[in-house]
Amino acid sequence: MSRKNKPTQSEIDGVQYRRAKLWQIILQSCNALVGMSVYSLIGLASYSGAIGYGMALATVGVVIAVSRILDGITDPLLAFVYDRVNTRWGKLRVLMIGGFLVEAIALLCMFNFMSSKGFGIVVFSVLYVIYVIGYTITNMTAQTLPAIMTNDPKQRPTIGVWTTAFNYLVPMALSMVLNTVLLPMFGGEYNQSFLSAAAWVCIGMGAVGTILVCIGISEFDKPKYFEGTSATKEHLKLKDMVDVLAHNRPLQCYIASNASDKIAQQTATQAVIGTLLNGILIGNIGLATILTVISMLPSIIFAIIGAKYVGRVGSKKGIVTWTFVSLCISVVTFIFFVVIDPKRIGVMMSMEMILYVLLTLAQNASNMVITTANTSFMADTIDFELDRSGKYIPAVVSGTYSLIDKIITSFSAIIATGAVALVGYTHGAVPQPTDPSTPAIFWLTMAIKFGLPIIGWAITLFAMKFCPLSKEEMVNVQKRIADKKAEIANNS
């Protein structure tokens, strides 16, 4: 391999850091084409279950909820596969391609080949489980890529920016294609023909994304990038997973921080809660879509600026700073709703609407920086484990987090629907935009939409007080890793 194709190096703080080229980062971030295209398709699973397999929507919901817990359980188990896959074509590319093929075949069968063919709940459930296995392989492998491609603290946030930007753009583009182009072609109804066509579009985009990712990571898919700092090389054991959870303090802090934030945000973004806020309290159900579109570009621009900040001060401080900002914005927004008439927000170009838009833009921008910092922090946590135990086991670290995260966040829909039942929506009734606003609905919506995220961010600030991974400590971590690897090389 010529020198110009090798990963670049940079020396900062006395550490020789590994760096990826910009084009490699961009292609690696095209994993969003894989994840978000599948995410957009699986969002239609309820329609597929009802139309193609004759299942009740509630039954489909149970299958999906149980499968999500299964997804969490399979995440750490994949670490054993990840540890043992070493082929002439690499580790990462084999897992990415293999995992995508599994989920692609399962989804094409679920939405096309076996749909509306007289099969029922058993076939649908089996196909969904196979999809979950394939998704787990691709998703868990993708989570390890930032740590493998670069350990430069100034570059890691850049990966987060590109990943976050694609995660915003891809589902928005797919939503437009599916709803404004494809759906009208099939009579404007969710039918079997539409679902089959949607499956081919989404899987096709995922295939393109997989190819681009494999090209971007090819220079890093080599055994030397998976070596630990111990002279002895042993296969992963179950006790290694327990040891990581018990003794990796940054991982413990990250679990408390990110899982609490995600369950709050996923509960707050449930469709029923959106109807309570935008439809009933504000009286403009389309406002949420408008805000999503107009906030996308400013949020991405702000994330780029935020990435430079995170690269300068470190992942931990970046999370702490912008979590505090997000918390303050939510408190202000909460008070804003209390002192005004929320219906005024739904009046186009009213002062209340303008202020609400500005608050939402600020909130989205701050959250974008937190997401960027979290991507960098997970990579730092993986390196901390390499320094602590001498074992380079990125799939164990990310898989252990994913297990707990998915178990916790699987309750978000239950919390939302249970809370809505408290204000009278029982026996199959669901919130409708035409429903009257009541004090109970107002305070419930405020508690979930703003109160839960405030609690989540408070937990983050508390947890990060116990995290040792400051910028200075990460420099020491990288120095110790480099010294240990140099000692092994000299003794070999």
Side-chain angles (χ1 to χ4, degrees):
M1 181 175 63
S2 65
R3 182 178 179 80
K4 67 178 182 178
N5 289 327
K6 293 182 179 180
T8 58
Q9 303 283 328
S10 68
E11 185 167 340
I12 307 173
D13 304 318
V15 180
Q16 194 74 18
Y17 287 113
R18 178 178 68 256
R19 290 177 59 87
K21 299 179 179 66
L22 180 59
W23 68 267
Q24 293 172 323
I25 291 176
I26 294 174
L27 291 187
Q28 180 275 152
S29 300
C30 286
N31 180 63
L33 272 70
V34 186
M36 289 296 103
S37 61
V38 170
Y39 174 83
S40 298
L41 180 60
I42 209 64
L44 298 170
S46 296
Y47 290 101
S48 179
I51 296 171
Y53 300 87
M55 299 166 60
L57 289 177
T59 305
V60 178
V62 171
V63 172
I64 293 174
V66 173
S67 298
R68 181 167 177 79
I69 296 176
L70 173 65
D71 184 18
I73 295 173
T74 55
D75 281 348
L77 295 180
L78 172 65
F80 292 97
V81 178
Y82 187 101
D83 179 59
R84 287 165 171 77
V85 171
N86 290 290
T87 73
R88 58 181 295 187
W89 301 283
K91 175 197 296 280
L92 303 174
R93 289 168 293 179
V94 169
L95 289 171
M96 288 294 298
I97 294 173
F100 177 74
L101 288 176
V102 171
E103 63 180 340
I105 292 171
L107 290 172
L108 286 173
C109 288
M110 183 192 303
F111 284 87
N112 193 342
F113 303 141
M114 304 183 75
S115 186
S116 297
K117 300 293 193 300
F119 297 107
I121 184 174
V122 174
V123 171
F124 180 86
S125 301
V126 169
L127 291 174
Y128 203 98
V129 169
I130 295 174
Y131 146 72
V132 165
I133 294 172
Y135 170 80
T136 298
I137 295 172
T138 55
N139 186 53
M140 286 301 306
T141 304
Q143 287 186 32
T144 68
L145 299 182
I148 294 170
M149 294 183 70
T150 178
N151 61 350
D152 189 333
K154 292 185 178 297
Q155 190 177 56
R156 276 183 171 170
T158 303
I159 295 179
V161 170
W162 281 99
T163 300
T164 304
F166 279 119
N167 282 339
Y168 266 69
L169 293 171
V170 173
M172 182 176 294
L174 265 177
S175 177
M176 293 177 63
V177 171
L178 296 180
N179 295 321
T180 65
V181 178
L182 212 57
L183 193 59
M185 292 173 59
F186 298 98
E189 295 182 354
Y190 292 98
N191 51 42
Q192 182 57 56
S193 297
F194 167 77
L195 293 174
S196 298
W200 284 112
V201 170
C202 293
I203 296 302
M205 179 175 287
V208 172
T210 301
I211 293 171
L212 294 176
V213 171
C214 289
I215 294 173
I217 64 177
S218 59
E219 296 301 330
F220 300 92
D221 196 7
K222 295 177 173 60
K224 66 178 181 179
Y225 292 110
F226 304 96
E227 294 173 349
T229 58
S230 173
T232 60
K233 297 181 180 180
E234 299 178 355
H235 281 305
L236 178 67
K237 300 180 177 62
L238 182 60
K239 67 177 182 179
D240 293 319
M241 304 176 72
V242 177
D243 180 65
V244 166
L245 183 59
H247 298 106
N248 190 313
R249 177 55 62 85
L251 178 61
Q252 296 170 352
C253 296
Y254 186 70
I255 289 172
S257 165
N258 213 30
S260 61
D261 290 350
K262 284 182 67 175
I263 189 171
Q265 292 172 8
Q266 288 187 16
T267 302
T269 54
Q270 290 292 314
V272 290
I273 304 302
T275 300
L276 292 181
L277 178 67
N278 299 298
I280 298 176
L281 296 184
I282 295 177
N284 187 342
I285 194 68
L287 182 60
T289 302
I290 296 172
L291 286 173
T292 299
V293 173
I294 66 175
S295 67
M296 183 185 65
L297 183 58
S299 296
I300 292 175
I301 293 174
F302 199 81
I304 296 172
I305 298 172
K308 294 184 180 296
Y309 172 80
V310 173
R312 181 164 54 84
V313 303
S315 304
K316 175 189 171 181
K317 187 172 182 179
I319 291 173
V320 170
T321 299
W322 289 100
T323 294
F324 182 75
V325 171
S326 287
L327 189 152
C328 291
I329 294 172
S330 281
V331 170
V332 170
T333 308
F334 182 94
I335 296 172
F336 174 69
F337 268 86
V338 171
V339 300
I340 68 160
D341 176 9
K343 291 291 185 183
R344 291 288 305 165
I345 297 176
V347 179
M348 294 301 293
M349 300 311 296
S350 65
M351 180 59 67
E352 289 83 356
M353 182 181 188
I354 293 173
L355 291 174
Y356 180 62
V357 168
L358 292 176
L359 286 170
T360 303
L361 287 174
Q363 186 74 81
N364 290 344
S366 181
N367 291 348
M368 184 78 84
V369 181
I370 294 173
T371 301
T372 299
N374 277 331
T375 301
S376 180
F377 188 84
M378 173 54 78
D380 291 348
T381 302
I382 291 171
D383 285 345
F384 178 87
E385 180 61 29
L386 173 58
D387 176 43
R388 186 191 72 84
S389 67
K391 298 177 180 179
Y392 194 51
I393 43 180
V396 173
V397 178
S398 58
T400 303
Y401 161 74
S402 292
L403 168 63
I404 300 175
D405 170 76
K406 288 174 181 176
I407 291 175
I408 292 174
T409 56
S410 65
F411 291 97
S412 59
I414 297 175
I415 294 173
T417 54
V420 169
L422 293 176
V423 293
Y425 292 99
T426 57
H427 306 295
V430 294
Q432 299 291 349
T434 54
D435 292 345
S437 176
T438 66
I441 289 177
F442 175 83
W443 290 111
L444 174 70
T445 306
M446 293 299 101
I448 292 182
K449 192 68 181 180
F450 304 112
L452 283 182
I454 288 172
I455 294 172
W457 286 319
I459 292 174
T460 294
L461 294 176
F462 178 76
M464 285 298 165
K465 287 183 177 294
F466 301 94
C467 178
L469 281 190
S470 63
K471 178 187 176 183
E472 294 74 21
E473 179 57 21
M474 274 309 301
V475 172
N476 294 329
V477 166
Q478 298 296 355
K479 285 181 178 179
R480 290 193 292 267
I481 290 174
D483 290 343
K484 291 173 184 176
K485 287 190 173 182
E487 182 179 353
I488 293 174
N490 292 333
N491 293 335
S492 61

